[in-house]
Amino acid sequence: MSATRRSADGFALQVMVGLCLIWGVQQVMIKWAAPDIAPVMQAAGRSGISALLVGLLICWKGGWDQVGTTWRGGLLAGALFGLEFFFIAEGLQLTTAAHMSVFLYTAPIFTALGVHWLLPSERLRPVQWLGIFLAFVGIAVAFAGGVSWDNLDHRMLMGDALGVLAGASWGATTVVVRASRLSEAPVTLTLFYQLIVGFVGLLLIAILSGQVTHVSLTTVAVASVLFQGLVVSFFSYLTWFWLLRRYLAANLAVFSFMTPLFGVTFGVVLLGEELSLNFVIGAVLVLLGITFVSAEQWVRRRLRKALGQP
């Protein structure tokens, strides 16, 4: 029988703030180290490091006995995970870390759409459909011009599109975890599937594309890969999957709007990235849409109160 998942509480909020801070700086680290190590190699390296650590953790705590019933979902989740980071790696070579942060975190929209069709307990309500509409309008507005209304930057546009595809891949990964036997598997095993399949796939892509040779072990490169492997892929993902087993996915997703805010801020402050007006407007619409989707009950209460309804 599936465990009962509850609505997010104050503890979940505090944990999500920390996770969003970590995830927000992630894109900046990848972009910062890109001249020294190809982003796809960073993604492969981080996945390899954390897969080793998670594998050791499973050997210690157990969990291998469930491979026989979960490997199909695990392979699919791992393939989607690797695809997500391939899109991130390629996209960051074309667009800014700030843009990637916003478009990547459209993932809750795709998660909500997926669970709507697969899980009767999480059907979308009218306010959530409005949120999805606002989010996609925001994406369209942000795509309307790369750096200004008068100068469409096709490279940035392609990078932004890859960011949306990364968000869709992440959302699909969450749906697979929620709708398969992985939802009741140990979080360590769920994460291991994603990391090991992602590592193999990303390394293969790096070899076939010749990016495997784009590696210079500078301080920045090593720091970036270690941060991603130890802090992001190991610590933060274990924490994320632990939360997913205890709280409703749609409720958790509301807090993820903080991640692109952190990501945009770090991109501007640390990398000196500039933001165009259309991107700012589009990003606001995307975040508003995510809020409507993920905090539907809170939004409905506020709307009723504003209209003077009980």
Side-chain angles (χ1 to χ4, degrees), residues 218-283:
T218 64
T219 302
V220 171
V222 173
S224 177
V225 173
L226 288 179
F227 171 77
Q228 295 177 64
L230 298 176
V231 179
V232 180
S233 292
F234 182 66
F235 170 75
S236 76
Y237 287 173
L238 278 177
T239 304
W240 167 249
F241 285 113
W242 181 83
L243 288 174
L244 276 178
R245 292 190 62 187
R246 287 158 177 79
Y247 298 94
L248 292 172
N251 285 174
L252 288 177
V254 66
F255 301 129
S256 67
F257 81 92
M258 293 180 289
T259 302
L261 295 179
F262 285 133
V264 169
T265 301
F266 290 139
V268 171
V269 174
L270 300 180
L271 298 180
E273 296 176 346
E274 297 182 0
L275 304 178
S276 63
L277 177 61
N278 59 291
F279 172 74
V280 173
I281 295 173

Side-chain angles (χ1 to χ4, degrees), residues 85-107:
F85 280 93
F86 168 72
F87 288 141
I88 292 173
E90 294 302 304
L92 280 172
Q93 299 186 68
L94 303 172
T95 191
T96 64
H99 279 217
M100 181 60 68
S101 294
V102 170
F103 293 122
L104 172 61
Y105 286 92
T106 57

Side-chain angles (χ1 to χ4, degrees), residues 8 22 35 51 91 102 110 136 153 155 200 202 209 231 235 238 242:
I22 292 171
V102 170
F110 296 104
F136 282 105
D153 187 328
R155 279 179 54 85
V200 173
L202 290 165
S209 64
V231 179
F235 170 75
L238 278 177
W242 181 83

Side-chain angles (χ1 to χ4, degrees), residues 75-289:
L75 289 179
L76 179 56
L80 289 168
F81 179 86
L83 193 61
E84 173 196 343
F85 280 93
F86 168 72
F87 288 141
I88 292 173
E90 294 302 304
L92 280 172
Q93 299 186 68
L94 303 172
T95 191
T96 64
H99 279 217
M100 181 60 68
S101 294
V102 170
F103 293 122
L104 172 61
Y105 286 92
T106 57
I109 300 297
F110 296 104
T111 298
L113 286 170
V115 297
H116 170 79
W117 298 114
L118 296 176
L119 300 177
S121 62
E122 297 190 37
R123 296 293 189 191
L124 290 170
R125 299 176 185 273
V127 171
Q128 292 174 303
W129 283 114
L130 173 61
I132 289 174
F133 172 75
L134 289 174
F136 282 105
V137 168
I139 292 172
V141 171
F143 275 13
V147 292
S148 71
W149 288 108
D150 301 321
N151 183 22
L152 183 65
D153 187 328
H154 296 286
R155 279 179 54 85
M156 182 172 285
L157 187 63
M158 179 60 70
D160 291 347
L162 290 172
V164 175
L165 290 175
S169 300
W170 184 10
T173 304
T174 303
V175 172
V176 169
V177 172
R178 286 295 321 280
S180 70
R181 292 182 180 273
L182 291 174
S183 64
E184 302 306 326
V187 293
T188 48
L189 183 60
T190 300
L191 181 55
F192 181 78
Y193 280 128
Q194 296 179 67
L195 293 170
I196 194 64
V197 176
F199 167 68
V200 173
L202 290 165
L203 184 60
L204 182 60
I205 290 173
I207 292 172
L208 294 176
S209 64
Q211 296 184 70
V212 71
T213 60
H214 182 183
V215 177
S216 179
L217 297 180
T218 64
T219 302
V220 171
V222 173
S224 177
V225 173
L226 288 179
F227 171 77
Q228 295 177 64
L230 298 176
V231 179
V232 180
S233 292
F234 182 66
F235 170 75
S236 76
Y237 287 173
L238 278 177
T239 304
W240 167 249
F241 285 113
W242 181 83
L243 288 174
L244 276 178
R245 292 190 62 187
R246 287 158 177 79
Y247 298 94
L248 292 172
N251 285 174
L252 288 177
V254 66
F255 301 129
S256 67
F257 81 92
M258 293 180 289
T259 302
L261 295 179
F262 285 133
V264 169
T265 301
F266 290 139
V268 171
V269 174
L270 300 180
L271 298 180
E273 296 176 346
E274 297 182 0
L275 304 178
S276 63
L277 177 61
N278 59 291
F279 172 74
V280 173
I281 295 173
V284 170
L285 288 174
V286 169
L287 296 180
L288 184 61

Side-chain angles (χ1 to χ4, degrees), residues 5-51:
R5 293 176 173 82
R6 57 183 183 273
S7 298
D9 51 23
F11 172 75
L13 170 61
Q14 295 177 54
V15 175
M16 284 300 298
V17 169
L19 293 182
C20 290
L21 181 63
I22 292 171
W23 295 338
V25 78
Q26 173 185 212
Q27 322 309 324
V28 175
M29 292 293 292
I30 296 173
K31 188 83 173 179
W32 186 32
D36 298 326
I37 178 170
V40 72
M41 280 300 295
Q42 294 186 54
R46 59 178 270 164
S47 295
I49 291 172
S50 48

